[in-house]
Amino acid sequence: MNMRKIAIGLLAFALVAPSIASVSLKDKKEKKPKTEKKAKVDNKTKANKASSSNSPRKVQTINDVEAAILGIEKIVSHTLVEVEPIVQQICESQQTKKSVCPRIYVGAANAFWLKSGVSDTTYALKYIDKAIELDPHYSPAYMLKGDIYKWADDTTVAVNYYKKAIEMAPNDFRTYRKYASFVEAGLDKVTARAYAGDTEAQEEVRRRRAKLENIYAMAKEANPTYPYNRNCARLYDKYGLTTNDFQKGLQLYDEAQEDSLEAGDYSSKIRMLYAFLEKANGNKKLEIYTQMMNTCDSGLVRYPADYYILSNGSRFTNEAYDLVKKQQGDAFYEDKKLFASRALEYSETLIASKDTLITDLDYLNYGKALINNNKLNQGIDVLKELLKSPTIKDDQVASAMGVISNTYKDMGEYDKAETAYQEYINTVESNGKLNYFHLQNYAVMYKDKAEECVGMEQVAAYKKAFDIYGQAAERFPDYADYGYVNQLQLSPLIDPDQEAGIGLQPALQLYNSVSANAAMQLMATRYLVGYYFNVKKSKELARKYFMRWHELDPDNETVKRNIAILYKVKL
């Protein structure tokens, strides 16, 4: 079969397609609208009516035109020779003495540009111009022409055609979206450079953001129902560079019509609120977390099963609980109770939804929420199951194991806690994430255990904590002073008479430290005086430590008397 016959066959399909659509309508037994009397209009009015992209044609139905366009797309996609005359015949077949159809020409132009496989702009522009010739007010023709010039990187011409499309159809939101998408293209990458400190990128972000706001304002002026505030708020979420920008975004959301907000807008508000947490103090943080929770609750009234709202709610109310859990007072008790219960409600709703978006982090927050609501064993089970996940990240592993360890400690199950803590320490160390505070928490677990023991078992637990503090000080020099202080505080519990000198090494380290503060220095000096003067009975070794003690605590009369005796001087 030669190429000409194939083209003729496809042409036959394109011309028969409207009939197929018509038969389909008959099968559905839809009632045809009654014929209306035709009003006499002048040419200008007639042209204006033709300009509305939403108004129906009098002769061709939408099914007729779309079926014809489908036929054109099939012809053009085969990139056959001599197809343009065939396409032209199909387009002309849709025109009558009583009606013109620019839509078919725009459809053909789109087919040549996007369906031909070669992005044929020559024929595309020819057919767009034909559509404009038939109806100079037909907005989609100008939009497509703008798209083509945008693709060709002729941005000035593209902007002019987008503006022309808006002029022709000021009430059609599609024209504004198309123009806005053109202005917004690539702005995320520019914003990334702006965040990295590129001042030129920062200026471009602000300039293009202002341009987008102007486009939205034009849409609002043309149609008062356009969601100007909501769309501008989204801009400040996506392209905000400062907390002032985010504050503006939050204000715009507050001013937006509530029924214009979509589910993602509530998560957008939460993201902008999060930006204020870093520099906030405790009370301000509590206020921000409360705003986040209230935003989630507002969103869930309208979108009760939205994944992102529920996930954000679980995460941030857990964080809020962590913020206040160690605080004392009736007010904080109510806050703790509220944040814990809301976190569990969000998590349980989310997990029960079985949403495909649910992540390991969601299960981590679920386990934490259970534990914060005293459902300890259930929370541990959730976290242990999470640790089996093949996709779990290293920091999530560490977090889950840390929570499990602390929970066993809180339950008084120290054998399980010790095992869990050791696994936890090994895990974070193997990931290269071990820090001083991991070891400090490990030591605290043994201190807590010691307080519930007696005799040699108690001493052994304190000794274990003492050794871990020593390891922490040795491995993390920036925090070494704190490790040595903790060792000194534990030493009289392990060695009450100081005869073994268990606190000697940390005391000497603190005494010689250039970073230890005066309180730390005094603690070390007092230990060294007691050890050398009372245990070793060495006045010679004790002298310098007495003098240092006097420097740190000059009003101490006991020190003065001892120095007078040792040095035979009066202070």
Side-chain angles (χ1 to χ4, degrees):
M1 184 180 292
N2 60 37
M3 302 293 278
R4 182 67 176 170
K5 288 182 179 179
I6 294 174
I8 292 172
L10 288 168
L11 171 60
F13 167 80
L15 296 177
V16 170
S19 300
I20 296 172
S22 177
V23 170
S24 175
L25 288 174
K26 287 179 182 178
D27 290 342
K28 294 181 178 179
K29 297 181 180 181
E30 294 185 1
K31 294 182 179 180
K32 294 182 179 180
K34 295 180 179 179
T35 305
E36 298 180 357
K37 293 183 179 180
K38 299 175 181 177
K40 294 181 179 181
V41 294
D42 59 24
N43 290 334
K44 183 177 179 181
T45 305
K46 194 171 185 180
N48 285 337
K49 284 195 172 185
S51 71
S52 174
S53 60
N54 295 323
S55 60
R57 301 293 163 187
K58 292 183 178 179
V59 175
Q60 296 88 1
T61 67
I62 291 178
N63 283 334
D64 292 337
V65 175
E66 298 305 323
I69 291 173
L70 179 62
I72 291 173
E73 290 178 351
K74 287 186 176 294
I75 293 172
V76 172
S77 66
H78 284 73
T79 62
L80 303 178
V81 294
E82 300 179 357
V83 297
E84 197 271 333
I86 302 171
V87 173
Q88 187 172 343
Q89 289 178 45
I90 297 174
C91 292
E92 291 173 352
S93 73
Q94 298 296 317
Q95 317 305 316
T96 73
K97 293 180 180 180
K98 297 180 180 180
S99 178
V100 295
C101 183
R103 168 74 183 101
I104 189 72
Y105 283 97
V106 170
N110 193 65
F112 277 114
W113 183 41
L114 294 179
K115 303 293 182 179
S116 65
V118 292
S119 299
D120 190 328
T121 58
T122 301
Y123 281 135
L125 292 172
K126 172 184 175 180
Y127 278 82
I128 291 173
D129 290 340
K130 181 62 178 177
I132 294 172
E133 179 186 335
L134 288 172
D135 183 354
H137 295 81
Y138 190 60
S139 172
Y142 297 104
M143 277 201 290
L144 183 57
K145 205 165 187 179
D147 288 344
I148 291 174
Y149 278 101
K150 172 189 171 185
W151 173 79
D153 291 329
D154 197 336
T155 57
T156 302
V157 176
V159 167
N160 289 336
Y161 280 116
Y162 287 135
K163 289 181 177 179
K164 187 71 173 177
I166 290 174
E167 180 186 343
M168 293 299 102
N171 292 321
D172 187 349
F173 289 169
R174 291 176 301 174
T175 57
Y176 300 99
R177 285 197 295 268
K178 182 73 73 171
Y179 186 19
S181 67
F182 167 71
V183 174
E184 196 173 358
L187 190 51
D188 53 343
K189 295 180 180 178
V190 179
T191 305
R193 298 203 308 273
Y195 274 128
D198 186 329
T199 55
E200 290 185 5
Q202 291 168 1
E203 288 304 312
E204 184 178 353
V205 169
R206 294 188 178 98
R207 179 182 61 79
R208 288 169 69 174
R209 194 173 64 200
K211 182 68 174 177
L212 289 164
E213 287 186 82
N214 183 56
I215 294 170
Y216 298 154
M218 291 165 55
K220 179 73 172 179
E221 183 178 356
N223 191 327
T225 65
Y226 186 81
Y228 168 82
N229 289 332
R230 183 203 68 185
N231 286 358
C232 287
R234 290 175 177 177
L235 289 179
Y236 282 95
D237 173 34
K238 292 174 68 177
Y239 309 120
L241 301 178
T242 66
T243 52
N244 286 337
D245 289 339
F246 296 133
Q247 188 63 57
K248 178 66 174 176
L250 291 167
Q251 178 184 339
L252 286 162
Y253 268 130
D254 289 339
E255 294 170 356
Q257 292 290 330
E258 187 175 356
D259 60 4
S260 74
L261 299 183
E262 298 175 356
D265 294 313
Y266 293 94
S267 295
S268 174
K269 289 180 71 174
I270 292 168
R271 280 194 298 272
M272 286 192 284
L273 284 166
Y274 185 76
F276 293 90
L277 280 172
E278 182 179 358
K279 295 183 179 180
N281 61 26
N283 289 334
K284 187 62 179 177
K285 280 186 178 181
L286 184 59
E287 179 184 328
I288 294 169
Y289 278 126
T290 301
Q291 288 179 272
M292 289 179 167
M293 181 181 67
N294 291 338
T295 300
C296 287
D297 290 343
S298 297
L300 291 173
V301 171
R302 303 185 64 215
Y303 305 99
D306 183 75
Y307 165 78
Y308 294 102
I309 298 176
L310 290 167
S311 182
N312 280 322
S314 175
R315 173 189 171 187
F316 291 119
T317 45
N318 267 330
E319 287 186 11
Y321 176 86
D322 289 340
L323 178 68
V324 299
K325 69 180 180 181
K326 294 182 179 179
Q327 304 299 321
Q328 302 298 319
D330 292 340
F332 286 114
Y333 172 78
E334 292 300 323
D335 287 330
K336 284 182 276 190
K337 184 178 177 182
L338 175 62
F339 288 132
S341 62
R342 297 299 291 131
L344 185 56
E345 288 175 26
Y346 296 138
S347 289
E348 287 182 332
T349 303
L350 178 59
I351 299 303
S353 73
K354 299 183 179 179
D355 196 302
T356 56
L357 293 173
I358 292 173
T359 66
D360 293 330
L361 180 59
D362 295 316
Y363 278 102
L364 177 60
N365 283 314
Y366 179 35
K368 288 180 179 179
L370 286 165
I371 289 168
N372 293 341
N373 283 271
N374 292 318
K375 298 184 177 183
L376 305 182
N377 286 315
Q378 189 177 347
I380 289 173
D381 289 343
V382 168
L383 295 177
K384 284 184 174 180
E385 191 64 29
L386 169 63
L387 292 173
K388 300 176 185 177
S389 170
T391 58
I392 190 170
K393 297 178 181 178
D394 290 344
D395 60 332
Q396 293 167 351
V397 170
S399 180
M401 295 180 74
V403 172
I404 291 171
S405 304
N406 283 324
T407 304
Y408 277 134
K409 184 194 75 173
D410 293 340
M411 295 168 68
E413 298 187 22
Y414 288 103
D415 289 343
K416 291 181 179 179
E418 288 180 53
T419 301
Y421 261 112
Q422 189 58 62
E423 291 176 353
Y424 171 50
I425 295 299
N426 292 341
T427 298
V428 290
E429 185 170 23
S430 65
N431 294 334
K433 301 291 181 65
L434 184 68
N435 61 43
Y436 173 84
F437 298 100
H438 291 132
L439 292 172
Q440 176 178 272
N441 290 337
Y442 191 19
V444 168
M445 186 273 297
Y446 281 106
K447 286 170 64 177
D448 290 343
K449 177 182 179 181
E451 291 174 5
E452 297 189 13
C453 301
V454 293
M456 294 307 296
E457 187 179 358
Q458 183 181 63
V459 172
Y462 280 133
K463 184 61 169 63
K464 186 67 175 179
F466 180 94
D467 291 342
I468 294 171
Y469 279 126
Q471 295 170 25
E474 183 178 345
R475 297 187 63 172
F476 301 100
D478 289 345
Y479 295 92
D481 293 342
Y482 300 99
Y484 296 135
V485 164
N486 279 296
Q487 282 189 304
L488 273 183
Q489 290 173 337
L490 288 172
S491 64
L493 301 173
I494 303 168
D495 181 23
D497 299 325
Q498 298 184 352
E499 291 183 357
I502 195 169
L504 181 60
Q505 184 62 29
L508 288 171
Q509 291 286 356
L510 279 176
Y511 184 85
N512 295 312
S513 171
V514 295
S515 58
N517 59 37
M520 293 176 176
Q521 288 269 341
L522 182 58
M523 180 186 295
T525 303
R526 291 175 64 179
Y527 179 91
L528 292 168
V529 166
Y531 179 73
Y532 286 114
F533 190 72
N534 297 321
V535 177
K536 292 297 184 181
K537 309 296 184 182
S538 173
K539 294 180 181 180
E540 293 298 320
L541 293 174
R543 279 179 180 175
K544 71 172 183 177
Y545 300 117
F546 265 119
M547 291 301 294
R548 180 58 178 155
W549 189 349
H550 176 62
E551 291 173 8
L552 294 168
D553 188 10
D555 297 327
N556 191 305
E557 294 297 329
T558 302
V559 175
K560 289 181 181 180
R561 285 196 300 271
N562 281 288
I563 290 177
I565 294 171
L566 289 172
Y567 288 89
K568 297 181 180 179
V569 296
K570 185 176 181 181
L571 295 177

